Amino acid sequence: MNTTPATSTQYNAENRFDRATAGMTRVVVPTDLGDVVAHVDPNAAALSDSATLLLHGAAGSWTTWLPLIRASHATGRPLTNVVALDLPGWGESGSIAATATVEDLADAVAHVARTLGYAKWSIFGHSLGGHLALTIAARHPERTVSVTAISATGPGALSVLRHPIRHFGVLPLLGGMLGAMRFLSALGPAGTVLVRTLHRVRLLGPLSSPLFAHRGTLDSSVIDSLASEVRPTAFVRAAVAAARYDETQWASIQCPVTLVRGDCDVFVSSADDAWFASVLPHASQQVASNAGHFAHIESFEAPHSTTDGTHLAA
């Protein structure tokens, strides 16, 4: 399957003056779900068998992690052996099949890491990526060193995805977004044009405000990225896959888990915290102040590597 060159955000890894991304290269790895594009240091696997996997959410690409990559580098404790993926259906990776399951997506990510030469990994996942990170930990326990799930798609969101009308009141914004994505997906290419038109006339920013605690303080490239990276069909298909997944499988996870959400997150709540506490009692839970659904961009502290390969907040 051919990849689709579609990324056009101000965040990039091509700035030769950016020491945080020095050495990172775009690679394409064939998987059962089609070609997956990752940005990596191609020489890192020769020095260590452990990677740091970065999995974006359903409204982004690998570039949403660049602020975190740069923040960790600025502290003098950079993320090690980064494998930053465009998940199937997003960024430059091939489209996601309508029949794809969460397990398929998780196994594709694991396949990419193994193909690049890594035997184990620590995972940072945001939103859908957090959901996938937990699924990978459950499916590949011998390879997963740790998980940091930021605003992971948990039981509250899953109840809306499964029954959008019946549970609309649980997370109204998610129910509305799902309806909007279905509408945009039905429009085909015109849906993408509509989103970019809304951005051009400066309406996308206000429409996306609920996703952030303080949208006005964000760099303009964050909203630019949302406009260029939105994939309505991929969003809808991922939502269908997540709705079919049995999240109680996460109870088998034994590795260290850190769950992070913003105190203004409209997709994750204290009810999700309580559910995770019952299913994963060993997990650490953190609430990031002054942050919405994108805590890793708004206020998430730079992580660093420990000697056993895990990653902790600074």
Side-chain angles (χ1 to χ4, degrees):
M1 181 180 296
N2 293 327
T3 60
T4 304
T7 300
S8 59
T9 173
Q10 291 183 27
Y11 288 138
N12 64 80
E14 285 70 47
N15 182 353
R16 63 190 178 89
F17 299 107
D18 186 350
R19 299 183 66 181
T21 57
M24 292 184 71
T25 300
R26 176 186 181 277
V27 298
V28 181
V29 179
T31 76
D32 288 344
L33 296 183
D35 289 347
V36 171
V37 171
H39 288 257
V40 303
D41 180 343
N43 300 312
L47 303 176
S48 172
D49 67 348
S50 183
T52 301
L53 305 184
L54 302 181
L55 310 181
H56 64 79
S61 72
W62 82 278
T63 60
T64 62
W65 292 106
L66 281 169
L68 183 61
I69 293 172
R70 289 166 178 157
S72 64
H73 185 273
T75 67
R77 295 172 293 187
L79 294 173
T80 56
N81 305 336
V82 167
V83 177
L85 290 82
D86 282 343
L87 295 172
W90 281 273
E92 296 182 297
S93 292
S95 61
I96 180 175
T99 56
T101 65
V102 168
E103 292 88 343
D104 292 335
L105 289 165
D107 290 346
V109 171
H111 172 76
V112 170
R114 292 197 305 269
T115 299
L116 293 173
Y118 294 105
K120 56 185 179 178
W121 43 71
S122 297
I123 316 175
F124 284 85
H126 169 241
S127 196
L128 169 65
H131 185 106
L132 289 176
L134 293 167
T135 303
I136 292 169
R139 290 179 65 78
H140 302 277
E142 73 288 355
R143 296 183 182 276
T144 305
V145 176
S146 66
V147 168
T148 300
I150 304 166
S151 297
T153 303
L158 292 175
S159 71
V160 177
L161 298 181
R162 289 168 181 148
H163 305 286
I165 297 176
R166 186 192 313 170
H167 292 159
F168 183 86
V170 175
L171 295 171
L173 185 65
L174 178 59
M177 179 176 288
L178 179 60
M181 289 297 178
R182 285 175 171 167
F183 171 72
L184 292 170
S185 178
L187 292 178
T192 301
V193 173
L194 177 57
V195 171
R196 293 177 181 174
T197 299
L198 289 172
H199 181 48
R200 190 165 54 252
V201 298
R202 300 185 179 182
L203 288 178
L204 186 61
L207 289 172
S208 64
S209 286
L211 297 175
F212 306 98
H214 303 288
R215 182 184 63 84
T217 64
L218 295 175
D219 187 280
S220 62
S221 57
V222 174
I223 306 302
D224 293 343
S225 181
L226 285 177
S228 64
E229 302 294 358
V230 66
R231 302 290 187 272
T233 298
F235 184 104
V236 171
R237 291 179 176 178
V240 170
R244 293 172 177 166
Y245 181 72
D246 178 8
E247 67 275 20
T248 61
Q249 297 178 58
W250 295 338
S252 67
I253 297 173
Q254 297 299 315
C255 72
V257 174
T258 301
L259 301 165
V260 181
R261 68 174 176 87
D263 59 352
C264 298
D265 197 327
V266 292
F267 293 159
V268 185
S269 69
S270 58
D272 292 283
D273 295 345
W275 184 90
F276 276 115
S278 66
V279 174
L280 288 172
H282 71 284
S284 169
Q285 299 196 35
Q286 301 176 9
V287 178
S289 60
N290 297 313
H293 191 60
F294 288 78
H296 59 304
I297 291 177
E298 291 193 272
S299 68
F300 189 58
E301 294 180 336
H304 65 278
S305 300
T306 61
T307 55
D308 65 354
T310 60
H311 292 78
L312 305 172

